[in-house]
Amino acid sequence: MPPNTTATTGDTATTGATSVKSGRKKGRRARLIVLVLVLAIIGGVAYGAYWSISTVRASFPQTTGSIKLDGLSGPVDVKRDGYGIPQIYASSDEDLFMAQGFVQAQDRFYEMDVRRHMTSGRLSEMFGKGQVENDAFLRTLGWDRIAQQEYDTKLSPATKKYLQAYAKGVNAYLQGKDGEDISLEYAALGFTNDYTPQKWTPVDSIAWLKAMAWDLRGNMQDEIDRALLTSRLGPQQIQDLYPAYPSGRNKPIVRDGQYDDLTKAFQQSGVANTAQGTTGGTTGTTGTGGTTGTTGTTGTTGTTGTGGTAGTAGGTAGTTQGATGTAGSSASGGTGSGLTSQLGGLYNVLDDLPTAVGVNGQGIGSNSWVVAGKYTVKGKPLLANDPHLSASLPSVWYQMGLHCRTVSSKCQYDVSGYTFAGMPGVVIGHNGKIAWGMTNSGVDVTDLYLEKVSANGYLYDGKIRPFKTREETIQVAGGTAKKIVVRQTQDGMPLLSDRDDELVEVGKKATVNTAAPDRGDGYGIALRWTALDPGTSMDAVFALDKAADWKDFRAAAALFDVPSQNLIYAGTDNHIGYTLPGKIPTRSAKDDGSVPAPGWDSKYRWTGFIKQDELPYEFDPDRGYIVTANQAVVDPGKYPYTLTTDWGYGTRSQRISDLIESKIKDGGKVSTDDMRQMQLDNSSEIAKLLVPKLLKIDLDDPDVREAQKLLEGWDYTQDADSAAAAYFNAVWRNILKLAFGNKLPKEVRVKGQCLWVDKIDSTGPVDDDTKVRECGRRDADQAQPDGGDRWFEVVRTLMDKPDSDWWKTPKSGTRPGAENRDQLFARAMIDARWELTAKLGKDIDTWSWGRLHRLFLKNQTLGTEGPQVLQYILNRGPWKLSGGEATVNASGWNAAGGYNVVWVPSMRMVVNLADLDKSRWINLTGASGHAFSAHYTDQTGKWAKGELLPWSFSAKAVDQSTSDTLVLKP
C-alpha cells in the first residue's frame, strides 16, 4: 500500500469527522511530500519528465468559497462533512441536478469518463489497441444507441430536463480544464496519447443504466456452465451439482399471497387492492399460454431441477434435460464438443468485458431487509441494505444529499443516499417520507439463439430474412482506426458470433437435432435481452426519489424495467413492503431459457412480458419483517410463471430471518445498532453442518490432529482473528477440490490447475486408457467450485450418501486416496493443514482468517493494467476481513481460486424511519476518486471494522456536521 494511506493493514483508521477535519492539512502535506518523491522517480525514470505537487493539487476539488456557474438560476450551497460527503441545497430542480453534475465531476470525473467510454464501446480512444475487441463487442450490443432511443422516445420531459441540467453541471466543471487539471490518471495517459476529455451528454448518463443491467442480467453464466459440464459429466452428475431449491428450509421473499387465476393478478391475502396501490399492466402482455405463461414442461415440484423449485411452476425437469442434452426441445438436441466449445467461447468473450458495477462472479448477491415498527425500539420501521459487488476503487457508489430549500412544484426533491457518479438522482436511500433498498432479483432476462446464417441473411420460419447492418469505426489511441460491421436480426438481436473468431469456428460444429437446417458455414449466435429495448428506468429513479407513500413507490417501481431488482420499502407512516418490478419475459412451453434455442423457429421466441399486476409483492405482512437476499421470490405453487431456474439458495436470507426472529421473540425490540450487528454476522452455515463430522475423524498425524483441535468449541463465526475459521475454510476448500473440482472439465476449472484426465470424444480403441493433460481456463475469481451456497446444498445432499462416487479421490504422492465421505474428509484435513503451514507457518497459534482473507482495492483501469509503479500509486490494501462466502457479512471468496476477497458489501446503510438523522451509512472507499485526496479511502478502515457513519438529513443536522461550504453562484 502506498505510504499516504491511513492504514497499512486495515488495522487502523481515521476516527471520525472531527479528527479528519483537524488533521487534514497535516495529512495532505505529508502525502504530498511522499508523492513528490514517488512521482519524481516516475517522471525521471519512466517518462522522462517530472510531475510536481501542483499537478496533484490541480485536480483536487474546491470545497470552500464560491464559484460562478453559467446556467444556474440561483445560488446553490454545497456542504461537505468531514468525509467529503456533499449535501446540496438549491431552489429549483434544474439547479439541484446541475450542481449534482458539477460536484460529482469534481470528485469522480475520471471514473465517469471511463464508464461512458465503456458503455459506448470507446475504451480504445483512452487506452489503445488492447481494448479494440472489447469495444467491438460493446458496439455490437449498442448500449449507447439504445440509450439514445430512450432519450428520444421513452423518457418524460421532466427526466430529460434533469439529464440536461446534470450534463450542464459536468460541462461547467470541465470548462477550461486540461486533463491533468481533472485527474492524476489523465496526466499519466498524457505520456502515452493525446486523449482529451469531451463534453458530457444526457445519453452518457442513461447508458450507464445499460451497463448496470448487463452486470445484473441473470443466469447466463449458470446456463453456460451447465452445458460446459456435459463434456465430463453425465445428466445425473450435473443434477447432483444443481440440487433443487430447499424451499422447506429457506423461505422465499414473498410468503403471503398468491396468483389469482380469475383476476390475472398477484393478490395478498386479507389486504385490499386500494391499500396495495396496484399499478395496472404497463409492460406488455402475457402472450400465448394465458396464466400458464412459461411454466415449461409438466412436472410436480421440480425436484430434479437446476437450482430452484421456487422459480418455476412445475417445469424444472425440462430444464435439466435441456442442459444435459437429453431433451429434444433444446436447440442442441445433445451437447457435444461443438456446443461445449461454443459456449466456452462465449464465456471467454463475456469474461473479458470490463464490469460496470462489478457483478460477474457466481455467488455474488446482496442483503436488504425491513422490520416493521411494532418490533422496533422507536416504533417505526428500520430498513437495512448492503449490495454485494466486486470491490472497486473508487467505490461504485457516491454518497450525496439532494435538498430543495423548500419542497414545491418548482423544486420537488429532498433525498439522500447512494448515487452513481455520472447519473443524476439517488439510486438507493431515503427522502423525508420513505426509504428503499435493492437486491438483484436474478430473474432470467437473456436468451441465446442459434441462427442459420447465409450470404443473404438468416433463416426464420422457412424464409431468409436480411440482417439489419450498420458500420462502426473504432478510434484507437496511438494506432489505426478499425471498422466493423454490426449485424442484427429484424427483431433487434445482435449477432454476437461476429465478434469472436472462436464462436465463428464452433458455429460450424455445434450439434443440433435432425429437424435443424443444414449448417452450411455454421450457425451464428444472437442475443435477446430486455435491456436492448428502450425503457424507462431513468424515469423510475426520479420517481422513487420523490415518492411519498406505498402507492407512489409501486408506481415508480413499475417504471424500473431493467435491471429487475428486489425493491423493499419502509415509510414514516409505519408501513413496510416489497415489490418485484422489471420487464420479465414469458416463453413458450418448448423453451425454459436454459440453453441456446433455435433461432430459425418462431415457436422459441418470447411470447410477451409479465404484467406489473401479476408480479409478486408484499405489504405489511403479519410476521412484521421482509428479507431479500437473492433467494427465491415466491413459492412455485402460488405462481404460474418461471422467473428463473437459478435462484441463490437462501442461506443468507434464512440466517437474517433467524436473527430477526431471535431478537423479537418474547417481546424483544430491534434497534438501529441491532440492524448493523446483523449486517456483520459472520456465522458459517456450512461449518455448522460439517464441523461435527470433522471432529469425529480419526487422524494419525499429530500436526493434523493439532489443527483439528482448533475446531473444538468453535462457534462457527469467521472473525478475522480466528484460527479455527482459517483452518475450517481451508478444509472446506480442499473438500470441494477433491470431491468436485478435480472432476470438472477444464473450461470451468481455475487457470494453472493442470490434471491428467481421460480423453473425451476419442475415436480410438475402446480399451485406450491414454491420459491427456488438461489445464483450467478460468480466472481465479470465476472458477468452479466457487464454494457458494449452491455448493453448500450439494454437499448437504450428499452427506447422507457416504459411499457416493463424488467422495472418491485417488492417492497423490504420500497423501492417501479416499473411497468414501469420511476418508475424503480426512484427506481434506491433511491437505488443509499443510496448505496453511505453507501459507501461514507451522505454528497454529499464528494462524488467523484475516491473514488469508484479505481485501486489495485496485483502481479499475491504470491500477490493473498500468505500469507497476503507477499501480502502487493508485491501489490500496490489504485489509484483513472477517466474514466469508454465503455469509451475511459477505466478504466473498472463490474456493477454487484462493482466499482473497473477490466481492464485498459495497456499502452498508440502516435507515431509521422514526428519526432519519439517526440513520447510519458507510461506503467501501471514500467520496473522492483522486488518489492522494484525504477522502480516497478514508471510510475503508471503518467499513472493514463494521462501523457506520452518522447520516445527517435535516438541515440542522447537516449544518452541525458540515466542515466545508462551497457556494455555486449564477
Side-chain angles (χ1 to χ4, degrees):
M1 177 185 285
N4 70 290
T5 55
T6 58
T8 57
T9 66
D11 295 330
T12 60
T14 54
T15 57
T18 301
S19 63
V20 170
K21 182 179 179 181
S22 62
R24 183 181 300 152
K25 291 184 179 179
K26 183 178 179 180
R28 282 181 177 174
R29 188 178 300 115
R31 281 188 291 272
L32 290 172
I33 291 171
V34 173
L35 178 62
V36 170
L37 296 175
V38 173
L39 294 185
I41 296 173
I42 297 173
V45 177
Y47 297 109
Y50 289 88
W51 290 348
S52 65
I53 293 177
S54 62
T55 303
V56 178
R57 282 179 170 165
S59 62
F60 286 179
Q62 179 181 337
T63 60
T64 60
S66 63
I67 298 175
K68 182 178 179 181
L69 293 189
D70 292 337
L72 287 176
S73 63
V76 177
D77 296 326
V78 182
K79 301 180 179 182
R80 294 179 184 257
D81 67 9
Y83 288 87
I85 299 170
Q87 305 284 338
I88 300 176
Y89 288 84
S91 298
S92 73
D93 291 338
E94 291 91 331
D95 284 356
L96 189 64
F97 294 118
M98 181 178 176
Q100 182 183 15
F102 181 86
V103 171
Q104 288 189 340
Q106 280 187 306
D107 284 333
R108 298 280 192 95
F109 182 76
Y110 177 77
E111 175 193 13
M112 293 162 58
D113 200 17
V114 171
R115 284 179 175 179
R116 67 167 166 176
H117 279 76
M118 178 184 69
T119 58
S120 58
R122 294 166 48 222
L123 288 168
S124 300
E125 295 177 14
M126 296 184 74
F127 305 110
K129 62 182 181 180
Q131 294 297 324
V132 168
E133 289 186 6
N134 281 336
D135 282 348
F137 193 85
L138 292 165
R139 296 281 185 99
T140 300
L141 291 173
W143 292 343
D144 60 333
R145 297 175 64 85
I146 304 299
Q148 184 68 59
Q149 292 177 37
E150 287 187 3
Y151 184 79
D152 292 340
T153 66
K154 289 289 185 178
L155 298 182
S156 69
T159 294
K160 291 182 181 180
K161 182 170 60 176
Y162 302 154
L163 288 164
Q164 292 163 1
Y166 182 89
K168 188 186 298 182
V170 176
N171 292 329
Y173 168 76
L174 293 177
Q175 188 173 359
K177 289 182 172 63
D178 295 326
E180 66 180 20
D181 300 325
I182 298 171
S183 176
L184 183 66
E185 288 91 338
Y186 289 117
L189 286 175
F191 287 111
T192 58
N193 65 56
D194 57 356
Y195 172 77
T196 302
Q198 302 299 307
K199 285 187 175 182
W200 194 264
T201 72
V203 172
D204 292 333
S205 296
I206 301 168
W208 176 242
L209 284 173
K210 298 301 176 186
M212 184 174 73
W214 176 255
D215 281 356
L216 302 174
R217 63 192 177 271
N219 69 337
M220 184 183 292
Q221 186 164 319
D222 283 312
E223 294 171 15
I224 292 172
D225 282 359
R226 277 193 294 268
L228 291 175
L229 293 177
T230 61
S231 66
R232 287 286 172 193
L233 304 178
Q236 182 59 51
Q237 292 172 307
I238 295 175
Q239 182 178 314
D240 290 345
L241 302 187
Y242 286 88
Y245 185 88
S247 55
R249 185 174 67 253
N250 297 341
K251 302 301 183 185
I253 297 171
V254 176
R255 308 184 200 176
D256 185 9
Q258 62 184 17
Y259 186 86
D260 189 311
D261 288 327
L262 183 63
T263 63
K264 300 294 189 290
F266 193 89
Q267 300 286 351
Q268 186 170 355
S269 303
V271 181
N273 283 343
T274 54
Q276 297 163 10
T278 56
T279 59
T282 58
T283 62
T285 64
T286 57
T288 59
T291 59
T292 59
T294 57
T295 53
T297 57
T298 58
T300 53
T301 61
T303 55
T304 59
T306 57
T309 62
T312 65
T316 51
T319 301
T320 298
Q321 293 168 347
T324 58
T326 60
S329 63
S330 76
S332 61
T335 52
S337 61
L339 183 57
T340 298
S341 180
Q342 185 177 47
L343 292 175
L346 175 60
Y347 178 88
N348 292 335
V349 174
L350 301 180
D351 192 39
D352 284 342
L353 290 181
T355 58
V357 295
V359 184
N360 258 350
Q362 297 188 33
I364 291 181
S366 301
N367 303 323
S368 67
W369 68 93
V370 60
V371 179
K374 65 182 179 181
Y375 291 131
T376 68
V377 171
K378 296 298 184 181
K380 290 289 181 73
L382 293 169
L383 184 149
N385 196 189
D386 55 293
H388 308 156
L389 308 173
S390 297
S392 61
L393 181 61
S395 166
V396 69
W397 300 109
Y398 183 87
Q399 296 153 287
M400 178 175 260
L402 302 171
H403 307 279
C404 290
R405 294 189 179 97
T406 301
V407 176
S408 65
S409 59
K410 180 182 178 182
C411 197
Q412 305 172 72
Y413 294 90
D414 187 19
V415 61
S416 184
Y418 294 86
T419 72
F420 290 136
M423 199 178 88
V426 169
V427 178
I428 296 174
H430 71 82
N431 57 34
K433 298 291 186 181
I434 75 164
W436 67 96
M438 296 185 188
T439 62
N440 192 27
S441 70
V443 299
D444 188 0
V445 295
T446 58
D447 278 342
L448 298 173
Y449 287 89
L450 294 177
E451 301 291 349
K452 168 56 181 172
V453 180
S454 68
N456 299 318
Y458 63 98
L459 185 66
Y460 188 75
D461 282 349
K463 298 180 180 179
I464 297 296
R465 290 188 174 186
F467 283 107
K468 296 179 181 178
T469 62
R470 66 178 187 271
E471 186 177 89
E472 299 266 359
T473 301
I474 300 172
Q475 302 295 335
V476 181
T480 304
K482 178 179 179 179
K483 292 185 182 295
I484 64 170
V485 175
V486 175
R487 295 191 290 179
Q488 291 179 295
T489 61
Q490 290 294 316
D491 51 355
M493 295 195 298
L495 201 65
L496 302 186
S497 49
D498 281 351
R499 300 282 78 86
D500 183 74
D501 291 340
E502 184 176 6
L503 292 180
V504 173
E505 180 62 26
V506 298
K508 300 176 181 178
K509 303 176 182 178
T511 303
V512 293
N513 60 30
T514 56
D518 179 72
R519 74 180 66 250
D521 290 330
Y523 298 125
I525 299 178
L527 171 68
R528 180 73 171 101
W529 176 36
T530 54
L532 297 183
D533 301 328
T536 55
S537 292
M538 198 72 241
D539 284 340
V541 172
F542 295 114
L544 281 171
D545 286 354
K546 63 181 181 180
D549 55 25
W550 172 246
K551 185 175 181 179
D552 287 351
F553 172 79
R554 286 266 285 166
L559 299 170
F560 208 114
D561 42 22
V562 288
S564 176
Q565 298 288 285
N566 294 313
L567 291 181
I568 60 167
Y569 165 91
T572 56
D573 58 358
N574 234 347
H575 293 295
I576 65 172
Y578 160 84
T579 192
L580 174 69
K583 190 175 183 180
I584 302 172
T586 60
R587 299 173 174 88
S588 72
K590 288 188 173 183
D591 181 24
D592 62 8
S594 64
V595 292
W600 48 83
D601 188 344
S602 63
K603 294 183 178 65
Y604 289 86
R605 287 299 201 262
W606 291 353
T607 58
F609 299 94
I610 304 174
K611 293 180 180 179
Q612 286 295 317
D613 278 352
E614 296 179 301
L615 291 171
Y617 72 93
E618 247 183 358
F619 183 72
D620 287 341
D622 290 340
R623 66 184 178 278
Y625 62 89
I626 302 169
V627 177
T628 83
N630 315 110
Q631 79 271 38
V633 168
V634 68
D635 187 318
K638 298 179 179 180
Y639 201 65
Y641 297 112
T642 301
L643 297 173
T644 184
T645 58
D646 294 293
W647 303 111
Y649 278 73
T651 301
R652 284 178 289 108
S653 62
Q654 194 58 47
R655 175 62 179 172
I656 295 167
S657 294
D658 291 345
L659 290 170
I660 296 171
E661 289 283 356
S662 68
K663 186 66 182 178
I664 65 178
K665 71 178 181 180
D666 301 324
K669 301 292 184 180
V670 180
S671 69
T672 301
D673 196 60
D674 289 332
M675 300 285 275
R676 180 188 71 85
Q677 292 285 357
M678 291 177 193
Q679 289 178 323
L680 303 179
D681 182 76
N682 294 320
S683 178
S684 170
E685 296 303 303
I686 191 61
K688 294 175 184 177
L689 175 69
L690 293 183
V691 166
K693 297 289 186 183
L694 296 176
L695 288 174
K696 295 178 180 179
I697 302 295
D698 290 327
L699 298 165
D700 296 330
D701 190 319
D703 289 317
V704 182
R705 288 202 306 272
E706 180 186 34
Q708 183 186 36
K709 289 181 180 180
L710 290 172
L711 303 179
E712 295 178 357
W714 179 44
D715 62 359
Y716 311 122
T717 59
Q718 301 170 95
D719 295 331
D721 60 358
S722 171
Y727 182 58
F728 171 76
N729 281 316
V731 174
W732 170 237
R733 180 176 186 240
N734 280 280
I735 287 173
L736 291 171
K737 178 181 178 181
L738 294 168
F740 309 106
N742 291 348
K743 301 176 176 76
L744 300 180
K746 62 181 181 295
E747 289 85 0
V748 302
R749 294 203 317 269
V750 68
K751 286 180 181 176
Q753 183 196 36
C754 298
L755 302 172
W756 290 97
V757 298
D758 294 330
K759 291 189 292 185
I760 57 175
D761 292 340
S762 174
T763 59
V766 174
D767 59 352
D768 182 4
D769 59 356
T770 304
K771 302 286 187 180
V772 294
R773 191 168 186 263
E774 290 187 348
C775 297
R777 295 182 177 180
R778 287 223 176 141
D779 290 338
D781 60 349
Q782 300 286 320
Q784 291 295 331
D786 61 20
D789 64 353
R790 172 165 69 87
W791 292 99
F792 289 13
E793 199 62 28
V794 169
V795 171
R796 184 186 299 274
T797 303
L798 291 171
M799 288 293 285
D800 294 330
K801 302 174 182 177
D803 296 317
S804 167
D805 285 346
W806 288 111
W807 300 124
K808 302 182 190 307
T809 193
K811 177 182 178 180
S812 178
T814 61
R815 307 279 172 87
E819 292 297 322
N820 57 46
R821 181 195 66 199
D822 289 352
Q823 289 178 4
L824 185 136
F825 283 3
R827 166 70 179 276
M829 295 174 79
I830 295 169
D831 288 359
R833 190 353 166 166
W834 300 116
E835 180 188 2
L836 294 198
T837 297
K839 291 180 181 295
L840 303 179
K842 188 173 183 180
D843 184 358
I844 64 172
D845 290 335
T846 68
W847 290 3
S848 70
W849 177 226
R851 288 181 63 195
L852 289 173
H853 194 53
R854 300 180 299 166
L855 170 67
F856 294 84
L857 293 175
K858 295 184 178 182
N859 179 287
Q860 292 302 290
T861 53
L862 299 179
T864 57
E865 300 295 335
Q868 285 295 318
V869 69
L870 199 55
Q871 294 184 37
Y872 178 82
I873 291 173
L874 297 175
N875 298 340
R876 299 292 183 269
W879 284 267
K880 302 173 183 178
L881 297 190
S882 302
E885 182 64 30
T887 302
V888 179
N889 184 16
S891 55
W893 56 288
N894 186 301
Y899 302 99
N900 279 339
V901 177
V902 295
W903 52 81
V904 295
S906 58
M907 61 80 157
R908 297 187 184 101
M909 75 174 193
V910 179
V911 182
N912 186 329
L913 276 298
D915 184 350
L916 292 169
D917 288 330
K918 298 296 185 182
S919 303
R920 296 291 183 265
W921 63 350
I922 196 82
N923 205 352
L924 171 63
T925 64
S928 180
H930 300 290
F932 289 90
S933 165
H935 305 306
Y936 192 45
T937 55
D938 59 340
Q939 296 186 51
T940 310
K942 288 183 174 295
W943 171 92
K945 293 178 180 179
E947 299 178 29
L948 298 178
L949 303 178
W951 185 355
S952 300
F953 181 70
S954 69
K956 180 180 178 181
V958 169
D959 284 343
Q960 290 175 344
S961 64
T962 294
S963 297
D964 293 341
T965 300
L966 173 69
V967 179
L968 304 177
K969 297 182 177 180

